[in-house]
Amino acid sequence: MHKFVSYNREILSNSAINLHAISSAALYGKGIFTTLAVYHSEPFLWQKHWRRLTENAEKLGIDLSDFDEETINKSLFELIKKNKILNARVRITFFDTSASSIWKYESNIKTSLLIQTADFRAVSKNLDLIVSPFQINSKSPLTNIKSCNYLENILALEDAKMKGFDEAIRLNEHGEVASACMANIFWVKDKNLFTPDLETGCLAGTTREFVIETAIGKGFEIVPVKENLDKLFYADEVFLTSSGLNITSVKTIEEFHFKDDFCRKLKAEFFSNQLM
């Protein structure tokens, strides 16, 4: 993590941040966040990230009336400049700092905003995956919301790493492929692109959306599906997408091996301008 953060529109040292311990955010994880990439000091896919933040805030009842896109964008660029960022990742978090109905206290601030930055995580060029024992509940009220209540995702990722893998495939309660722990998943079969339907419980990732839109614009056929593991195991190629990964190919899922020819072409074509 970089030295400076932006907290409620003020640039501060990262050690100076305090979140009220009796707030809904601290007690219940009531908050939303997004992680976006910065390339050449410019936020990537900002409009998509902002749209999802506002949609998620409305679904969870998080009050954003004190914030607007212009002022947050200004705070983001101020932090990019302060931390002297060229290429990095940024997390934008809205915390519900109001009192809950169970533990009440007086608070003049309903919502707090934290923007923090860090270098990109070191990621293998070809990922080794396992199938996670932690299922996704496609009917959860938090489905398709990137909330601060992210412990299930973290536990699934830590379980995979403890077993010697880079990431894991998570299934829903119907045995359908939904996502990886911290990324969306795509696969290639006979030059067609497939990705789990949002109804499986996967997150509507901003990079996922970008890949779908770009693929369609370039004439690829891409199909959102509800499929079990067999379809994934017998794919020609598998890759993950996220703001931190961009497009990263999967080398293995347990004993199944995959190519990465098509994936490398996609990454070069979709992200060549950002990664130069």
Side-chain angles (χ1 to χ4, degrees):
M1 184 171 164
H2 297 151
K3 181 177 180 180
F4 296 102
V5 302
S6 175
Y7 188 61
N8 292 334
R9 308 183 188 91
E10 183 179 0
I11 301 293
L12 300 170
S13 167
N14 58 31
S15 61
I17 304 305
N18 292 293
L19 182 67
H20 202 298
I22 314 177
S23 66
S24 294
L27 292 177
Y28 312 117
K30 189 176 181 183
I32 54 171
F33 77 97
T34 192
T35 303
L36 58 91
V38 171
Y39 301 116
H40 310 297
S41 302
E42 291 286 335
F44 185 57
L45 302 178
W46 165 250
Q47 292 293 331
K48 294 183 186 298
H49 285 279
W50 174 246
R51 186 190 71 230
R52 186 174 65 189
L53 282 168
T54 55
E55 290 175 350
N56 285 184
E58 184 176 358
K59 289 177 182 178
L60 291 187
I62 296 175
D63 188 348
L64 298 188
S65 59
D66 290 337
F67 303 93
D68 59 61
E69 181 181 359
E70 183 178 350
T71 56
I72 293 173
N73 201 261
K74 180 182 177 182
S75 295
L76 174 55
F77 274 101
E78 287 175 349
L79 186 61
I80 289 172
K81 183 177 180 180
K82 184 69 174 179
N83 281 329
K84 300 178 182 179
I85 290 172
L86 181 62
N87 298 312
R89 55 193 165 114
V90 177
R91 172 166 164 151
I92 299 174
T93 310
F94 285 105
F95 298 103
D96 186 335
T97 45
S98 63
S100 73
S101 59
I102 301 173
W103 297 98
K104 296 183 178 181
Y105 74 101
E106 292 186 8
S107 174
N108 296 324
I109 302 176
K110 295 179 180 179
T111 307
S112 291
L113 167 65
L114 174 65
I115 306 176
Q116 61 198 90
T117 66
D119 295 336
F120 284 113
R121 290 182 298 153
V123 178
S124 172
K125 292 183 179 180
N126 294 286
L127 302 174
D128 293 311
L129 273 59
I130 192 173
V131 179
S132 175
F134 298 94
Q135 289 186 336
I136 288 175
N137 177 9
S138 66
K139 303 302 180 184
S140 166
L142 294 178
T143 295
N144 207 19
I145 294 176
K146 198 158 187 177
S147 80
C148 292
N149 198 324
Y150 225 56
L151 186 57
E152 282 191 2
N153 302 67
I154 298 299
L155 290 174
L157 181 62
E158 289 179 348
D159 177 74
K161 289 185 176 295
M162 183 179 64
K163 294 172 180 174
F165 294 86
D166 299 302
E167 249 277 13
I169 304 299
R170 295 188 68 192
L171 311 178
N172 65 16
E173 72 274 24
H174 304 297
E176 298 164 340
V177 176
S179 68
C181 305
M182 306 291 282
N184 289 109
I185 187 166
F186 289 78
W187 61 92
V188 181
K189 183 66 177 178
D190 300 326
K191 296 186 178 180
N192 292 318
L193 283 172
F194 300 87
T195 193
D197 191 286
L198 292 180
E199 291 185 358
T200 62
C202 74
L203 182 73
T206 53
T207 308
R208 173 186 183 273
E209 183 180 347
F210 171 75
V211 169
I212 291 173
E213 291 175 350
T214 307
I216 292 173
K218 293 183 179 295
F220 293 107
E221 182 178 355
I222 188 159
V223 186
V225 293
K226 298 177 182 178
E227 297 286 6
N228 60 27
L229 278 169
D230 285 344
K231 295 291 184 180
L232 195 60
F233 288 156
Y234 294 102
D236 299 322
E237 299 183 33
V238 180
F239 60 89
L240 304 185
T241 65
S242 72
S243 294
L245 293 174
N246 298 314
I247 298 175
T248 300
S249 61
V250 172
K251 182 173 66 175
T252 65
I253 303 176
E254 299 184 349
E255 72 269 25
F256 294 87
H257 292 254
F258 305 95
K259 304 175 185 176
D260 71 343
D261 299 337
F262 195 59
C263 177
R264 282 188 287 106
K265 292 177 183 177
L266 284 177
K267 185 168 184 174
E269 192 164 0
F270 290 6
F271 286 95
S272 58
N273 292 333
Q274 286 74 35
L275 300 177
M276 287 177 61

